[in-house]
């Protein structure tokens, strides 16, 4: 377990922009393919129709209704919860930020099972709090959460304020075994009761839930301080729309809502978000297409000699054996205009690359590049 004491807040780091890659390698910018952002290619026809129809609740000269009521109603129907259990944000990222503001005090402590989504550490650090990194189990054990280590960290130093969980987890692409999160939450609640402290808030980021067709949002009824995070950026193929949700018990939502800005989600986003959430085919259709393409992409990379880990999500983790080889391969891919997600030298996945499953044409370019690099 490592403790990082904040001096200056951490910030999110992106891969190079398409323009920067194009300029550096002398390529047309249209030829750059992004494998780093975990998006799903091509919005659904339902979304495109809603944009074209242009029937927004209020003209775009006006602010969106303050309660985002149409979007909330559609999300409540889709996620099977009460509207009072939802809070809308400009993507899951804004929700993570608001949750951090509500529940991580300056000088506090938040637990991040690592590796996981980079924003958990960033938000914690920006709150002037300490990131308590708890390593996950090794790749051979599916990078599963280390329950005893999380409980231990949560109990130390007067108790952690918050625990960031992600299932399925980015960047390890796998989901926790059935029942393990419920068990962990029960244990955390019991530990807190025994030592007479408040149980930590637990954030369960379910950005990729549709890909495993499982949400564990019902755990909020046994662990009332659970905040589940959902988004339209992944299975709904609408990352550019910027719509995400917190799903939690009404009292918890009220605590988060204090930090909500007046109108961070646009009237266009409300209309399109409502349309896709009310449609039964959008997410399942994207997930089915993705499943087939993921298998084809993984098989192609494996045939090129790469070690591709199992994935339940819309991205693959590739083990290149060493950080030097990962850097070499990254350079080779960038030369072809293919942008992978890399991990810095100190990261537990420094020897890996993360690759979003794209469409057939882009994936074939990456497979061809992998073959060429293997042949070198
Ligand atoms: C686990 C996780 N949470 C949140 C996000 C951000 O989602 P949004 O686009 O809704 O802000 C991502 C994006 O990659 C993610 O992987």
């Amino acid at each position: 377990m490592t403790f990082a004491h904040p001096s200056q807040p951490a910030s999110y780091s992106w891969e190079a922009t398409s323009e920067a890659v194009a300029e550096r390698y002398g390529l047309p910018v249209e030829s750059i393919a992004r494998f780093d952002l975990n998006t799903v290619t091509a919005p659904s026809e339902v979304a495109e129709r809603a944009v074209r129809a242009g029937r927004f609740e209020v003209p775009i000269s006006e602010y969106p209704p303050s309660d985002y009521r149409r979007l909330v109603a559609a999300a409540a129907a889709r996620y099977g919860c009460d509207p009072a259990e939802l809070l809308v944000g400009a993507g899951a990222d804004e929700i993570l930020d608001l949750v951090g503001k509500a529940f991580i005090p300056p000088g506090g402590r938040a637990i991040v099972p690592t590796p996981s989504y980079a924003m958990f550490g960033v938000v914690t650090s920006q709150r002037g709090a300490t990131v308590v990194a708890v390593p996950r189990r090794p790749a051979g054990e599916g990078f599963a959460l280390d329950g005893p280590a999380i409980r231990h960290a949560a109990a130390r130093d007067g108790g952690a304020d918050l625990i960031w969980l992600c299932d399925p987890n980015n960047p390890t692409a796998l989901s926790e075994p059935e029942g393990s999160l419920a068990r962990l939450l029960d244990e955390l609640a019991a530990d807190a009761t025994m030592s007479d402290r408040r149980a930590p808030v637990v954030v369960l980021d379910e950005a990729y839930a549709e890909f495993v067709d499982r949400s564990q949002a019902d755990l909020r009824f046994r662990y009332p301080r659970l905040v589940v995070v959902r988004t339209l950026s992944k299975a709904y193929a609408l990352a550019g729309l910027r719509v995400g949700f917190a799903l939690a018990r009404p009292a918890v939502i009220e605590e988060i809502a204090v930090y909500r800005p007046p109108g961070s989600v646009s009237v266009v986003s409300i209309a399109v978000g409502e349309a896709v959430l009310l449609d039964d085919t959008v997410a399942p259709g994207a997930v089915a297409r993705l499943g087939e393409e993921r298998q084809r992409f993984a098989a192609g990379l494996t045939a090129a000699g790469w070690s591709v880990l199992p994935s339940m999500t819309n991205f693959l983790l590739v083990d290149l054996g060493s950080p030097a080889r990962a850097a070499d391969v990254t350079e080779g891919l960038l030369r072809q205009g293919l942008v992978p997600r890399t991990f810095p030298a100190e990261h537990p996945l420094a020897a890996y690359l993360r690759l979003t499953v794209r469409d057939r044409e882009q994936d074939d370019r990456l497979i061809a590049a992998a073959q060429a690099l293997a042949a070198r």
Side-chain angles (χ1 to χ4, degrees):
M1 189 186 311
T2 55
F3 291 82
H5 288 281
S7 44
Q8 190 180 354
S11 57
Y12 188 77
S13 75
W14 289 262
E15 301 298 337
T17 62
S18 300
E19 289 73 13
V21 174
E23 196 183 311
R24 189 155 121 215
Y25 296 97
L27 300 165
V29 73
E30 316 76 63
S31 73
I32 308 300
R34 307 229 46 125
F35 289 85
D36 58 326
L37 294 166
N38 288 355
T39 51
V40 170
T41 50
S44 68
E45 184 49 37
V46 174
E48 299 208 295
R49 232 182 292 126
V51 173
R52 277 199 302 273
R55 275 194 295 275
F56 309 131
E57 201 174 355
V58 293
I60 54 173
S61 52
E62 304 302 320
Y63 286 110
S66 59
D67 56 5
Y68 301 114
R69 70 189 82 94
R70 289 173 64 161
L71 188 53
V72 166
R78 173 59 52 205
Y79 301 142
C81 66
D82 193 276
E85 293 182 302
L86 285 170
L87 183 88
V88 176
D93 282 338
E94 186 178 56
I95 297 294
L96 302 181
D97 188 59
L98 298 178
V99 168
K101 286 175 173 152
F103 299 118
I104 308 178
R109 289 165 67 246
I111 294 172
V112 182
T114 49
S116 197
Y117 183 43
M119 283 307 290
F120 300 156
V122 170
V123 169
T124 304
S125 146
Q126 290 176 348
R127 300 299 307 141
T130 298
V131 177
V132 182
V134 176
R136 290 174 163 267
R137 306 295 305 160
E141 294 176 36
F143 296 106
L145 292 172
D146 186 337
I150 291 171
R151 287 173 67 192
H152 180 70
R156 282 184 61 158
D157 302 330
D161 298 289
L162 184 143
I163 303 176
W164 297 105
L165 303 181
C166 186
D167 186 70
N169 186 47
N170 173 14
T172 53
L174 294 173
S175 193
E176 292 303 311
E178 198 67 44
S180 79
L181 282 181
R183 194 163 51 248
L184 176 62
L185 294 179
D186 286 351
E187 289 167 347
L188 288 167
D191 291 347
T193 306
M194 282 240 303
S195 51
D196 204 22
R197 53 181 169 75
R198 204 159 180 212
V201 167
V202 174
V203 176
L204 176 57
D205 186 333
E206 291 192 332
Y208 301 95
E210 291 87 355
F211 296 111
V212 290
D213 198 19
R214 173 177 84 161
S215 167
Q216 303 200 71
D218 281 356
L219 292 175
R220 69 192 182 280
F221 298 113
R222 54 205 269 196
Y223 193 93
R225 301 194 87 207
L226 180 69
V227 181
V228 173
V229 181
R230 304 294 300 259
T231 180
L232 301 189
S233 292
K234 307 300 179 183
Y236 287 89
L238 287 170
L241 202 66
R242 312 307 302 134
V243 176
F245 302 93
L247 197 178
R249 301 298 295 136
V252 175
I253 292 291
E254 278 176 31
E255 283 186 83
I256 307 169
V258 171
Y259 296 91
R260 187 164 78 83
S264 59
V265 176
S266 77
V267 294
V268 179
S269 299
I270 293 172
V272 180
E274 181 191 20
V276 296
L277 282 163
L278 291 179
D279 188 287
D280 288 335
T281 65
V282 174
V287 170
R289 274 193 308 281
L290 178 276
E292 282 173 32
E293 182 57 17
R294 178 177 63 205
Q295 204 176 2
R296 205 188 65 84
F297 189 31
L301 295 176
T302 305
W306 282 9
S307 167
V308 181
L309 278 71
S311 167
M312 299 174 168
T313 62
N314 63 330
F315 55 88
L316 302 175
L317 203 54
V318 180
D319 182 358
L320 289 152
S322 72
R325 173 85 180 129
D328 239 31
V329 167
T330 299
E331 179 63 20
L333 294 178
L334 288 173
R335 276 183 196 289
Q336 310 272 334
L338 308 168
V339 186
R341 184 56 160 162
T342 60
F343 301 97
E346 68 281 6
H347 194 281
L349 297 179
Y352 294 70
L353 294 178
R354 195 192 68 197
L355 300 173
T356 309
V357 179
R358 304 291 296 173
D359 59 22
R360 227 183 146 84
E361 187 210 324
Q362 292 189 13
D363 293 344
D364 280 346
R365 282 178 60 196
L366 207 134
I367 292 168
Q371 284 164 346
L373 286 165
R376 270 204 328 206

